[in-house]
Amino acid sequence: MTGLEQRIVGVRLRGLDGMCTGCQAWWARLVPYPCWQVEWAAGRQARHLTAAVLGGRA
């Protein structure tokens, strides 16, 4: 390996999802914010909690 390859491999460590922190930062710039998946999940959670409080009527 060349010096550049060693630097890249040494800095770009894989996370639990298999992506390195550099790739995660790159994709974070490409994904629109706020994330529609988070909005959808938060809305579902809110509806579930409302239904639980109102006895399933929401």
Side-chain angles (χ1 to χ4, degrees):
M1 280 198 297
T2 67
L4 180 59
E5 292 167 339
Q6 289 175 345
R7 279 184 30 209
I8 291 171
V9 171
V11 172
R12 307 266 181 170
L13 302 175
R14 286 187 177 195
L16 294 175
D17 59 358
M19 292 179 69
C20 71
T21 55
C23 291
Q24 289 173 344
W26 173 254
W27 281 106
R29 285 179 269 167
L30 298 175
V31 174
Y33 184 80
C35 175
W36 67 269
Q37 290 177 332
V38 171
E39 288 182 356
W40 174 82
R44 296 276 300 179
Q45 186 178 33
R47 283 191 292 279
H48 175 74
L49 291 172
T50 301
V53 169
L54 297 177
R57 295 180 300 195

